[in-house]
């Protein structure tokens, strides 16, 4: 739990463990942002990879969620989270250091790029599941919206800075050399994790088979209507949105014929919007209700991705900059509300498995989307592939607006409802909007 009483003090001032988690998360996001720009540019420019390879590379970071997420979730629930996070960061520093080394010594290749992305993505699964479990234990339930908003907003700001800087650095120093910034960011994150002093809640040693515990995580993820609605909304958004996102490098560099600097600006705009969304999530939820905020957040998000279809050289890129900003803010509102609800209702000993099961489905879609984007780019073209992604992403807000949570004003009120009412998705005690 949080250390310090609270009173009127800001969460960052009264809770040193939350500060450490915020620094760790923000530094890690900064490093990931640099890699998100640098890795596809390494493939497209330094290695002259095919359209399919450039688009599919983005999915290698998320493929571990699809194939290993459930197993890793069980391990995270059985182990202290702090050592897990530190080990994951060390693995990422070592593995990602191979890419600039390979560039300098001449052994950089597309297979090495894909393998590195997969191993680094596997380490990221361990880190993110352990990090989410520690956030739940470092703050009180009433601080979850504020805490997740600060983490999301700070991370999105770091993401914007990292992507913008990477777009510029790749033109100055080369994409492979730009990855040195990522290594430095992970070292900062490692130091921050070392400073954590949380009394962890770890599940007692289990004699159950690991497959049984994996099944428990999946069963819990699908156990109630609210959890199912959050999951399907995220999965559909990730499938459609990441088809468009995976084609962004090809769209800017090969279809529109613009530079890496504009690519960095588009990605930075999305992240800056995410920062605004994270910072304002608490006030938006208080003003409109977390239910309406969650339900409507993806509508402008879809329009933001659709703006990519209007891109043209020069000032025509500004359509995408504005659209990506709107998309980033929308996604942040959705993530903060959804993550806070899961952390509020989930027992600490189940948090790793819940995170793994939900992300295996929702983030597994990111891997499938990247592979689909590569196929679409080769078969129907880059712009048509982006349009396909936008059409699929439209189903995400439909799930939210027409699903079982369509009348709920405050999602947090569902946390205290009986399980039988949660399964219906309409607990009698919860305030509602007009249906």
């Amino acid at each position: 739990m949080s250390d310090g009483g609270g009173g009127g003090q800001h969460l960052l001032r009264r809770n040193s463990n939350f500060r450490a988690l915020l620094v760790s998360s923000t530094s890690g996001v900064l490093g990931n942002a640099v890699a998100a720009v640098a890795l596809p540019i390494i493939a497209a420019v330094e290695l002259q990879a095919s359209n399919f390879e450039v688009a599919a590379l983005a999915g290698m970071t998320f493929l571990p969620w699809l194939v290993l997420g459930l197993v890793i979730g069980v391990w995270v629930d059985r182990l202290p989270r702090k050592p897990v996070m530190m080990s994951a960061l060390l693995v990422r520093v070592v593995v990602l250091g191979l890419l600039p080394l390979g560039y300098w010594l001449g052994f950089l290749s597309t297979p090495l790029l894909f393998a590195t992305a997969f191993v680094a993505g596997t380490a990221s699964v361990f880190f993110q599941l352990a990090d989410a479990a520690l956030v739940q234990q470092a703050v009180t339930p009433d601080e979850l919206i504020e805490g997740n908003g600060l983490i999301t907003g700070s991370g999105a700001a770091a993401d914007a800075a990292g992507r913008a800087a990477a777009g510029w650095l790749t033109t100055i120093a080369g994409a492979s050399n730009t990855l040195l910034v990522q290594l430095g960011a992970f070292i900062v994150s490692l130091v921050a994790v070392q400073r954590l002093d949380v009394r962890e809640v770890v599940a007692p040693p289990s004699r159950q088979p690991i497959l049984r515990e994996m099944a428990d995580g999946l069963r819990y993820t699908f156990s109630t209507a609210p959890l199912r609605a959050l999951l399907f909304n995220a999965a559909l958004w990730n499938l459609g949105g990441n088809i468009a996102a995976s084609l962004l490098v090809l769209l800017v560099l090969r279809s529109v014929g613009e530079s890496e600097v504009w690519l960095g600006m588009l990605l930075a705009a999305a992240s800056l919007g995410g920062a605004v969304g994270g910072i304002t999530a608490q006030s938006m939820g208080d003003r409109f209700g977390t239910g309406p905020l969650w339900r409507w957040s993806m509508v402008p998000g879809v329009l933001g991705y659709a703006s990519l279809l209007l891109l043209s050289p020069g000032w025509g890129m500004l359509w995408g900059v504005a659209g990506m900003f709107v998309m980033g803010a929308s996604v942040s509102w959705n993530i903060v509300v959804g993550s806070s609800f899961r952390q509020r209702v989930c027992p600490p000993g189940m948090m790793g498995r819940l995170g793994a099961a939900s992300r295996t489905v929702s983030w597994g879609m990111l891997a499938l989307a990247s592979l689909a984007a590569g196929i679409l780019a080769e078969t129907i073209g880059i712009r048509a592939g982006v349009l396909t992604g936008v059409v699929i992403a439209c189903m995400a807000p439909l799930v939210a607006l027409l699903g079982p949570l369509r009348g709920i004003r405050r999602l947090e009120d569902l946390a205290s409802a009986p399980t039988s009412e949660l399964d219906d998705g309409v607990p009698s005690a919860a305030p509602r909007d007009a249906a």
Side-chain angles (χ1 to χ4, degrees), residues 4 10 28 53 101 118 147 188 202 245 282 385 397 403 431 433-435:
H10 193 278
E53 289 170 331
L101 189 63
F118 181 83
V188 172
V202 181
Q282 176 81 52
D433 289 331

Side-chain angles (χ1 to χ4, degrees), residues 181-371:
V181 176
Q182 181 189 36
L183 300 181
F186 284 159
I187 292 172
V188 172
S189 183
L190 185 63
V191 173
V193 172
Q194 175 61 39
R195 297 176 62 86
L196 280 172
D197 184 23
V198 177
R199 292 186 297 275
E200 295 195 44
V201 178
V202 181
S206 174
R207 296 182 180 276
Q208 289 187 350
I210 194 168
L211 289 177
R212 171 73 178 274
E213 295 197 45
M214 291 165 57
D216 288 344
L218 274 174
R219 191 178 303 111
Y220 187 84
T221 303
F222 288 93
S223 62
T224 66
L227 290 176
R228 291 193 295 270
L230 264 63
L231 180 63
F232 295 147
N233 171 262
L236 288 169
W237 174 259
N238 287 343
L239 179 60
N242 205 50
I243 287 176
S246 296
L247 294 171
L248 186 57
V249 172
L250 295 172
L251 181 66
V252 173
L253 299 185
R254 294 184 178 175
S255 292
V256 181
E258 273 294 352
S259 70
E260 295 91 337
V261 174
W262 272 111
L263 174 63
M265 289 180 63
L266 287 168
L267 296 172
S271 302
L272 185 59
V276 173
I279 293 169
T280 59
Q282 176 81 52
S283 59
M284 293 284 286
D286 290 343
R287 181 173 182 179
F288 300 107
T290 52
L293 180 62
W294 177 77
R295 288 194 296 276
W296 286 98
S297 58
M298 288 305 189
V299 174
V302 170
L303 297 176
Y305 267 134
S307 70
L308 297 178
L309 297 169
L310 303 177
L311 293 184
S312 60
W315 295 110
M317 299 294 291
L318 292 178
W319 289 106
V321 172
M324 294 298 278
F325 177 88
V326 171
M327 185 277 299
S330 301
V331 172
S332 277
W333 292 327
N334 186 277
I335 289 174
V336 169
V337 173
S339 298
S340 299
F341 177 77
R342 289 191 188 96
Q343 290 167 338
R344 183 181 282 266
V345 302
C346 183
M350 178 65 75
M351 195 64 206
R353 281 169 286 172
L354 171 64
S358 60
R359 292 179 182 181
T360 293
V361 177
S362 62
W363 287 19
M365 292 297 103
L366 297 173
L368 296 179
S370 297
L371 294 174

